[in-house]
């Protein structure tokens, strides 16, 4: 035991000496530093690159909000949350799994829209065929068509009246700042409708189990403990994941 302690002590002293020697050497030679500041530049190209980098960082910071609000993610993740509460499995599947499934389903559904936006707006801009304003307009056009396709007229009318703007003559004239919130509440309404339909069969099972337990005099036994296995069995027998994902994907076509 004493030999082991001696060896560990020698090893610690050796590491301490090596670290001290390296620190002294770096201190004599000088450590690298990083300076961030604002300087004057006479090159307009350098200024344009800097502005593009700032714009890119801004877009990346807003990417999560854009992914959630401008795509099918809202409807999918809300429906999956309703499903978990309807079955009564608490934290199973976990949140990370539900969000991951919603992300991949969103990528699957939005792939045609993203490809069209890239071919019409981003690729011509990168090839210097169109200006930045034209690229932004062409890139937003497929996304706007997708949102208009899944937005109710009642929701559009609500935000048009709240903003006190003139009634648009056609769907293409609807401002983007009005289209986005209208699309979001339309998606929430559709998600709650699907969630209600999901709750009905599982609610029937809960009522049947509760009635049987009361008739048997087992009022102290929580019905959820008995109905949970039956609800899971029902969901598996009807191939629930296949039906649910199929219904969600087809609801956007």
């Amino acid at each position: 035991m004493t030999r082991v302690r001696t060896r560990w002590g020698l090893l610690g002293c050796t590491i301490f000496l090596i670290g001290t020697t390296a620190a002294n050497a770096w201190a004599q030679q000088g450590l690298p530093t990083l300076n961030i500041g604002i300087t004057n530049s006479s090159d307009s190209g350098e200024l344009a690159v800097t502005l593009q980098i700032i714009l890119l960082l801004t877009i990346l910071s807003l990417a999560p909000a854009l992914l959630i609000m401008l795509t099918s993610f809202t409807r999918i993740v809300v429906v999956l949350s309703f499903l978990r509460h309807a079955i009564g499995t608490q934290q199973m599947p976990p949140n990370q799994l539900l969000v991951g499934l919603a992300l991949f389903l969103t990528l699957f559904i939005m792939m045609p829209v993203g490809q069209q936006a890239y071919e019409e707006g981003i690729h011509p801009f990168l090839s210097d065929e169109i200006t930045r304003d034209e690229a932004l307009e062409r890139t937003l056009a497929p996304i706007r068509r997708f949102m208009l396709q899944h937005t109710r007229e009642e929701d559009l009318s609500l935000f048009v009246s709240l903003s006190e703007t003139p009634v648009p003559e056609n769907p293409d004239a609807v401002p983007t700042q009005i289209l986005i919130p209208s699309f979001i509440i339309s998606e929430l309404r559709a998600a709650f409708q699907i969630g209600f339909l999901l709750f009905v069969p599982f609610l029937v099972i809960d009522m049947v189990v509760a009635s049987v337990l009361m008739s048997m005099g087992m009022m102290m036994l929580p019905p959820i403990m008995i109905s949970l296995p039956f609800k899971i069995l029902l969901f598996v027998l009807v191939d629930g994941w296949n039906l649910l994902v199929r219904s969600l994907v087809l609801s956007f076509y």
Side-chain angles (χ1 to χ4, degrees), residues 115-171:
Q115 185 176 1
Q116 187 177 4
Y118 176 80
E119 293 177 353
E120 295 181 0
I122 299 177
H123 180 68
F125 174 71
L126 296 178
S127 302
D128 294 331
E129 298 178 1
I130 58 177
T131 62
R132 184 183 295 108
D133 295 337
E134 293 177 345
L136 180 61
E137 183 178 356
R138 293 187 182 184
T139 302
L140 287 178
I143 302 175
R144 283 176 52 87
R145 286 195 294 268
F146 173 81
M147 290 191 294
L148 283 169
Q149 184 179 359
H150 300 285
T151 303
R152 299 192 312 154
E153 294 184 1
E154 293 82 357
D155 299 328
L156 281 175
S157 302
L158 170 64
F159 284 96
V160 168
S161 61
L162 291 177
S163 61
E164 299 181 355
T165 58
V167 179
E169 298 179 356
N170 52 64

Side-chain angles (χ1 to χ4, degrees), residues 19 30 109 147 157 180 233 253:
I109 295 171
M147 290 191 294
S157 302
I180 292 177
L233 179 62
Y253 291 98

